[in-house]
């Protein structure tokens, strides 16, 4: 029970839905766990402390109220449960990533097997692959407690790169002749 957490609370005026959406999106981007409505936890890290301090100022600028503090659990079970929530959230994101990346792999395999080779598909698939790279990195930034699914996600991303490379090389060969 040596972990420290940041606890962030906020309350915004009810009439400003755009400010609520702004704060909610920021919190989701950080990968925070909600303890209850308007109260979230994140592992204590200097970069997260800085980000939450800035978000706190934003909440106040929206006419809301916000607090930011440091928390350490007194009961090991409580900490274990929160860490499990963080891990569950990130596992869900990795599963979604793997499922969607597999669609790209299947599409590339299909195009390779059908002989459907054209440059516009290469460009489109390269852009799609870059989106997956960014998504993988984004999930990784929130993987505070080292999800077991990170390795599987990395493997699927490598497989997508390999399939894209195979497809691109075939298009190049056919275009060069």
């Amino acid at each position: 029970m040596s972990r420290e957490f940041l606890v962030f609370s906020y309350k915004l005026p009810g009439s400003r839905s755009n400010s609520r959406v702004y704060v909610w999106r920021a919190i989701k981007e950080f990968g925070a766990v909600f303890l209850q409505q308007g109260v979230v936890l994140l592992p204590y890290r200097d970069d997260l402390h800085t980000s939450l301090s800035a978000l706190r100022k934003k909440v106040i600028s929206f006419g809301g109220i916000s607090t930011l503090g440091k928390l350490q659990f007194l009961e090991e079970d409580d900490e274990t449960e929160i860490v499990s929530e963080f891990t569950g959230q990130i596992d869900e994101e990795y599963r979604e990533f793997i499922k969607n990346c597999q669609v790209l792999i299947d599409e590339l395999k299909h195009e390779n097997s059908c002989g459907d080779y054209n440059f516009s598909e290469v460009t489109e698939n390269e852009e799609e692959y870059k989106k997956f790279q960014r998504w993988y990195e984004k999930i990784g930034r929130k993987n505070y407690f080292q999800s077991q699914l990170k390795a599987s996600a990395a493997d699927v991303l490598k497989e997508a790169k390999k399939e894209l490379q195979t497809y691109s090389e075939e298009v190049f060969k056919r275009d060069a002749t």
Side-chain angles (χ1 to χ4, degrees):
M1 289 193 331
S2 59
R3 290 187 183 107
E4 290 182 330
F5 291 84
L6 291 162
V7 60
F8 176 79
S9 69
Y10 65 97
K11 185 174 182 181
L12 292 160
S15 61
R16 300 200 44 196
S17 67
N18 57 342
S19 59
R20 284 193 309 277
V21 170
Y22 177 91
V23 173
W24 175 80
R25 286 184 63 131
I27 287 168
K28 294 303 257 180
E29 287 290 317
F30 298 143
V33 165
F34 278 84
L35 287 180
Q36 62 183 21
Q37 186 175 347
V39 181
V40 300
L41 284 182
L42 281 164
Y44 189 92
R45 289 189 350 199
D46 290 339
D47 62 326
L48 293 172
H49 181 229
T50 301
S51 296
L52 285 176
S53 289
L55 185 58
R56 182 180 177 276
K57 289 176 185 168
K58 195 76 169 165
V59 167
I60 292 167
S61 78
F62 289 147
I65 56 173
S66 179
T67 61
L68 178 59
K70 194 187 295 188
L71 177 130
Q72 195 167 15
F73 288 99
L74 298 175
E75 299 294 330
E76 190 173 340
D77 292 351
D78 294 334
E79 183 178 313
T80 301
E81 186 176 323
I82 289 298
V83 169
S84 179
E85 277 193 56
F86 275 105
T87 304
Q89 275 183 184
I90 211 70
D91 284 352
E92 186 177 318
E93 287 191 52
Y94 275 129
R95 279 191 288 276
E96 186 71 16
F97 172 86
I98 291 166
K99 180 179 86 176
N100 284 283
C101 197
Q102 189 61 52
V103 170
L104 175 62
I105 292 166
D106 293 345
E107 180 181 327
L108 287 164
K109 284 181 177 181
H110 176 74
E111 289 171 0
N112 275 322
S113 70
C114 291
D116 184 16
Y117 300 110
N118 64 66
F119 184 72
S120 64
E121 284 293 322
V122 170
T123 305
E124 180 184 324
N125 289 325
E126 283 174 341
E127 287 304 311
E128 194 67 20
Y129 176 77
K130 287 176 187 174
K131 288 179 192 175
F132 281 106
Q133 280 182 306
R134 287 190 299 271
W135 188 8
Y136 177 80
E137 290 165 7
K138 190 176 181 180
I139 296 169
R141 286 190 294 272
K142 300 183 284 186
N143 187 10
Y144 303 118
F145 299 103
Q146 304 313 308
S147 167
Q148 302 270 330
L149 292 177
K150 180 180 182 179
S152 298
D155 290 344
V156 170
L157 188 61
K158 284 178 196 164
E159 185 180 352
K161 183 176 184 177
K162 180 181 151 252
E163 289 297 329
L164 177 59
Q165 194 167 8
T166 300
Y167 181 77
S168 298
E169 288 169 2
E170 194 60 41
V171 170
F172 175 74
K173 270 195 259 180
R174 292 170 189 263
D175 195 46
T177 56

